[in-house]
Every structure is written in C-alpha cells, then in structure tokens.
Amino acid sequence: MADPVVAELNERFGAANTELPPDVIYELQSIMRLHELDVQDMFFKWESYCIKMDMDQPKMSMSTVRKFKQDLQDTLERANRAQALEQVKTEKRPGGTPRPGARNNSDVFGMLDGLTTPAARRAAKLGSARKTPMGTPIGSRLKNEPVSSPMKLEAQLDAMGVIPPSSFKDRPNAGEVIEILNENLPAPEPPIAPFGESRIKLTAASDQKKLGYKPLAMKLSEASEILDDRIDDFTSWVLEHHKLEKSAFGSAAMQSTTEIVAVGRVASDTSEGKLNAASLVLETSRKLGGGFRVPLNVSKLKGYQFFPGQIVALRGTNTTGREFTVNEVLRMPLLGNAASTPETMAAHRERLRGGPDAMDTDDENPMPLNVIFASGPYTADDNLDFEPLHILINEAADTYADAVILTGPFIDAEHPLIALGDFDLPEEAVYDPDAATMSTVFKYLISPALNRLVSANPHVTILLVPSVRDVIDRHVSWPQDAFPRKELGLHKSIKIIGNPMTLSLNETVVGISSQDALWELKHEELIGGMVEDTNGLSRVARYLIEQRHYFPLFPPTDRTKLPKTGRRVIDGQAAPGAMLDISYLKLGEMVNVRPDVLIVPSALPPFAKVIESVLVINPGYLSQRKRAGTYARMTLYPPKLLEADAAPGGMLAHRIFERARVEVTRI
C-alpha cells in the first residue's frame, strides 16, 4: 500500500502526472522531521519561499529543495536570536489588553453569547495581567490618546503556542519605504495647515442599497442561474470583441471534427486536491452546452494559466467525444478605460486648490492629492491596543491627508483575545456591562482615533470598508453590506461603505474589496509551459481585471488551507474563508469601466503595479500576527488638460497610472 505522506508530497510538490524523485522525497521528509511540519504547512512555507525569491514554483530538484531547506534554517535561527534578545529586555511594554482572571474565562460582557469553547477557556485560565496607562504619542498633532487596557499575557499566549512578539515601539525599520511606483514623481511637502474645504468630491458608482440583501437565504436555483448567466455574458462579449459569427460557437461536449469556439468555466473533476492538467474540465452553459462538463486536453498549448471559476474562450475540437482538445485560448475583452469630459476634469483640478482661502501660490499646479490606504487587522495578536492604527492616524494628521481609506477587519473575529472574550475596555470608558456589545468595543478602541483625525483635519475624507471577519457586522456573507454606524460613536463625516465598492474620488475611479482574492488565486492557479506574465503577483492581479470581478475564483479555497489565524491557535478553528453568497455574486462585478485604482489587500507581499492601465495596490496588513505591517500612500498629481489628448467624442482618459506616486511603507 502506498505511503499516504509520499502520495500527498507528490500531489503538492510534483508536476502533473509526474512523481517526485526518491531523493527529493527523502529530503522533503527530512525537512518535515527537522521542523515538525506536516505536508500542508511545509507547502505553505514553500509557496512563501517562491514568492520571496520571485519564482513561479519551479520543478522540484535536489538543488531547489536544499536551498529551500537552508532558507527555513536561516529563518529559524533569526527567530531564535530575536526571541533571545526579547527575553533580556527589561523595558515593559505599554498597554497590554488581556484582563485578569475572568471566572471560567467566560465572556466579559455577554457579547459573544457564550460561544467560547472549552479548549479556549482552559487556555485562558493560564493568563493574568494588570493595567498600565499609555501616554500621548510625542510629536503628533493628535492629543489625548486613550488610556489602554492591561498588559499582555505572555504566559497565556505561550500556553496557546503563540510566541509573544516584541514591543511595537521596538519594531525594526519603522517608516521604511519598501516600494515606490513612479519614483520620477517628486514626494511633495505636506501643507502647513489643513485646507479650508474638502478637495475630494466623492461619488458612488456601485449601488450600495443592493448590498443590503438578506444573507444565509441562498437558493440553489438562483445560484445556478447566476453562474450560468456569467458564461452567457462572456460569450456575447467574446463574440463582439473578436468579431465572430454565432455559428463559430458550439458545445465543447459535442463530438465533432469541426473547430469551434467554446466558452465556459474552468473547473476540476474532483472536489479534493489542487487543480492540475489531468483534472482540468470545462463547464458549459445550459444554453450552448447543456451544462455538461468535458475534460480539457491542453497538450497543444505552449503555455497556459487557469484557475477554478475562470471564464475562458477556447478554440479547439472534440473529435472523440471524450475530451476537448484546445488549440488556442482567446483573449478576454477588457472593460474600457475610465474617461471624463474636459470640463469635468477642469472642475476637479480647480477643486484641488482647496477653496478660495487656500494658501496656494502656484496658479498653474495645485498641490497633489494625498490618499492613504491601509487594511486590518489593526493590532497584534497579543493585545487590543491598536498601536499600528494610532501611528497611522498620527501620520495622516501630520501630513494633512485628503483621504484615508481603511478596510477591515477592524474588530477581528479571529483575534485570540476577541475569540476568548478576555479583555477590558479603557478605564475612561463609560458603559453598562450588562448591555455592552462589540459595538461598544469599537466605540472605545477604534472610534476615538478616527474622531481625533477629523478634529485635526475637519475636511478629511475617511472611508471604512468591512470584512467578513468583522465581528461587528451581522452581514456575514460576501458581497457584504456596510456595518451599521449606530452605537459606534463615529463622527458624522466618516463614511462606511460596502464590500466591494466602486466609487470616484474626483475623477479617479477606485475599486475596493477587503476580500483576499489574490492569495486564493495564487494558491489555486494552474500554470504550465511558457506564460506571458512570469511575475506571480501581477499575474493574479490581472485575473481580476480580465474577469471583471473582485472575486472570480469558484469554488473558493478550502478553509483549512488558508493562512493560519490567531484563533486557530486557540481552538483549532479554520479561518472563515470567502463566505460567498453565490446568488449575489453579480454585485461583485466591476461597474461599467476598469477602475483607475484597484485596492486589494492581501496576505501576499504588498505591492503597487500598473496592469492593463489599472493601478493595482496591495497595501498589505497594517498589523501582522506577531509583527508590524505596512500601508500605502498615493500622491496623485493634477491632470494636464491638453485638448490633443482628448479621445474622439471629447473625452479625456484619466491616466492615473502616469501621475500617481505610490509608496508602500512599514508602519
């Protein structure tokens, strides 16, 4: 009987229909024993290594395995040195959060409805803490920082298997810019005072009211129609774009020697394992193919890149009736570029002056827009101090940012302390313990920082985008409605929008989704031969643009294969995953035109890239589980209004990718 570990190693690390050499398997098993890893965890580390080395998962050989093994060993040694350094530090960390000795480690305010597990309660009994005040950050325009709750529970986290991170204020390379897009554009000095009026006109392109649907009420018939309609929509777009006759299209499942164009959805013939060349099938629509699935033979292609749920147009034949042989993969038509009339562009340019009383000495060139993007989580796993958020807000206030766009999770359901329900609110918080909810937690831990930013810069635009991991949002599925602002204590100028959302900041069309589609696409994609785009990060971002959707993957990645969260350390529960409501997936489509800027936070390395004239930004997470994270700043220069640039019909392309400087920075 075959060894199941060897079989799983071949499935994860081997090429299609090819087993790994015995010496490679032996070396991989050696890594598993040395680092106490299972196959899945080792594969996750291998994917991270490939991304770090900018490789597209090369063929496994003894050379690549040994380099991978050495990298793991170097990482382990660095972690051990950092841990040893942390143990000799005597300075106490300000503002930990776990509360002392909750009886039976039960829910503090009754806000989790007793949903903590016995394992979680046993783990939390090992912790204790005490309170300490946190001072006001020095050198910031924001005053009166809140008093934090108690210190971290090193003993409790150690019992959970979480290595306590170093103090946030001791983080290395704070403020380091790790990537700059359009470095030729200068980084302007911030204004000496806030502008007298908002320099941003905000317009919603998505219909947010439709996101208020009733979740957990999906009907199979509706879901089936949505999936089927998407194939039919792409069929009509392909027909128009490639100027084909209707007779050129046919069913990939029907036996014929005539070459046809078949449009359908990429899928796997099994619900288990990763998509590979042997399991590749095309799911047809009911209209053209009767909904049949047919195996695909891609041996004639020089290169290919597929993922489950991808809508493709394939030219080929089915001469045997058993499989469709693909001769060519047709390019999918893209949405048009965003454009505006010269009059509209001129009005937006004039708005950048900030009002008649603004101190703008250059009549020709108004100051560029300053927009900050960041994504949750906003605090480390060992506390609820939200120190990264406070530092980010200080930076936004000090530079008088025109807009701050924050995506969730804000109060993360996967945070260990939220999962345990073992924490205290700040001492100055006034609330009824019997009536407190997670909205109360948001009100006293997050809202004060955002409200102080409004006080420092009254005309700043602040947008909050929810996540399916936000514990304060009852709308648990994606696409996701905005969470209610009642009881959150937010300033009335702060806006909460849906997930995903397409909107305009002046002329700039911005698409935003807090769903981590990039990581799942990178994990699930199948590539073979020579592909056009060898950069894995830009390739998966391109999928969103080509598929015209913020989450084109279907079905989503198995929850057990997603990156581990703090809660999984406590009770073994997998992350929530995509939480798709298939009946409403149409609300996840891009609206009318390609966005000028696409904001897609992901666990993949942060980046800013121009793809098909779209400025794609992954700001990263502001706080990693055990270390500080990153955010992105976009400096957008005003457009040059040249009549020669106008397209037929008098429309001017926005060309944001040419006049936007993007900096990805460590918090």
Side-chain angles (χ1 to χ4, degrees), residues 5-24:
V5 174
V6 174
E8 189 173 359
L9 285 172
N10 280 313
E11 178 185 350
R12 293 278 188 178
F13 295 93
N17 301 323
T18 305
E19 294 187 352
L20 296 172
D23 55 344
V24 172

Side-chain angles (χ1 to χ4, degrees), residues 293-352:
R293 285 185 168 189
V294 57
L296 293 178
N297 182 343
V298 293
S299 60
K300 291 186 177 181
L301 297 178
K302 293 182 179 179
Y304 54 84
Q305 51 192 58
F306 299 118
F307 63 87
Q310 181 182 12
I311 308 299
V312 293
L314 308 175
R315 192 188 300 273
T317 58
N318 184 350
T319 57
T320 64
R322 294 188 297 270
E323 65 179 19
F324 186 77
T325 301
V326 183
N327 299 325
E328 180 187 2
V329 179
L330 300 183
R331 287 187 176 274
M332 282 297 177
L334 304 178
L335 287 167
N337 286 319
S340 300
T341 63
E343 294 77 16
T344 301
M345 297 281 277
H348 290 316
R349 181 186 173 92
E350 186 64 26
R351 185 175 289 105
L352 294 182

Side-chain angles (χ1 to χ4, degrees), residues 81-95:
R81 286 196 297 269
Q83 186 177 2
L85 181 62
E86 171 66 16
Q87 290 174 350
V88 300
K89 288 180 180 177
T90 57
E91 183 178 357
K92 294 182 179 178
R93 169 182 167 74

Side-chain angles (χ1 to χ4, degrees), residues 36-106:
E36 298 181 347
L37 300 171
D38 58 22
V39 177
Q40 177 176 309
D41 288 341
M42 184 171 63
F43 182 70
F44 288 157
K45 292 182 180 294
W46 167 248
E47 285 192 320
S48 300
Y49 172 73
C50 290
I51 292 172
K52 182 173 71 173
M53 302 303 292
D54 198 18
M55 301 186 303
D56 281 317
Q57 297 191 9
K59 182 180 178 181
M60 271 292 182
S61 64
M62 282 301 294
S63 175
T64 56
V65 173
R66 284 171 178 166
K67 290 178 182 178
F68 173 50
K69 185 177 183 179
Q70 185 61 45
D71 182 78
L72 289 179
Q73 187 65 28
D74 293 343
T75 302
L76 179 61
E77 290 176 0
R78 286 194 298 269
N80 289 339
R81 286 196 297 269
Q83 186 177 2
L85 181 62
E86 171 66 16
Q87 290 174 350
V88 300
K89 288 180 180 177
T90 57
E91 183 178 357
K92 294 182 179 178
R93 169 182 167 74
T97 46
R99 68 178 287 255
R103 290 192 302 270
N104 298 327
N105 207 19
S106 59

Side-chain angles (χ1 to χ4, degrees), residues 511-527:
I512 313 169
S513 174
S514 65
Q515 192 86 305
D516 189 354
L518 299 185
W519 190 94
E520 295 197 28
L521 285 167
K522 186 71 177 70
H523 183 270
E524 297 294 336
E525 74 169 340
L526 167 66
I527 56 176

